[in-house]
Amino acid sequence: GGMRGRHSEVAIATIEPLPAGEVSFTSIWELLDDFLRHHRRIGVRAIQPCPYGQAFVRFQQFHVRDFLIENSPHNYMNYHISFKPHNKG
């Protein structure tokens, strides 16, 4: 229990393996959006670039974020997608 901190619905997403070289954020956004919204049926408010991983993901509910963090990594296609709290970058 207890009160939730600020941004408790935000996680840092990391995708492995990424291709060598530069990867566009649009490609990262599309992969995360497809995994979360279509594959897992999870509501997402925003997916934004992040200096500590591939993206900040703002979920509609903090308990969904916590579930994804606790069960990381998630296998999706040929990738492993991991989530960690926004303040653990």
Side-chain angles (χ1 to χ4, degrees):
M3 296 203 40
R4 302 292 294 191
R6 290 185 59 183
H7 307 294
S8 61
E9 74 285 3
V10 178
I12 297 171
T14 304
I15 302 166
E16 294 180 335
L18 282 179
E22 192 171 327
V23 177
S24 74
F25 183 72
T26 301
S27 298
I28 292 168
W29 185 91
E30 289 172 348
L31 177 70
L32 289 172
D33 185 65
D34 191 52
F35 169 70
L36 294 167
R37 292 182 200 255
H38 302 166
H39 180 70
R40 297 300 302 245
R41 307 250 191 264
I42 292 174
V44 174
R45 290 187 180 168
I47 301 173
Q48 301 174 322
C50 172
Y52 309 111
Q54 277 72 54
F56 282 120
V57 180
R58 182 177 300 273
F59 296 96
Q60 291 179 354
Q61 300 165 329
F62 68 84
H63 67 276
V64 171
R65 179 203 83 147
D66 292 347
F67 170 81
L68 290 169
I69 290 170
E70 290 171 13
N71 293 289
S72 285
H74 304 270
N75 296 322
Y76 182 63
M77 297 192 307
N78 295 328
Y79 301 99
H80 304 289
I81 303 172
S82 298
F83 296 91
K84 60 185 171 184
H86 76 284
N87 59 350
K88 302 289 185 191

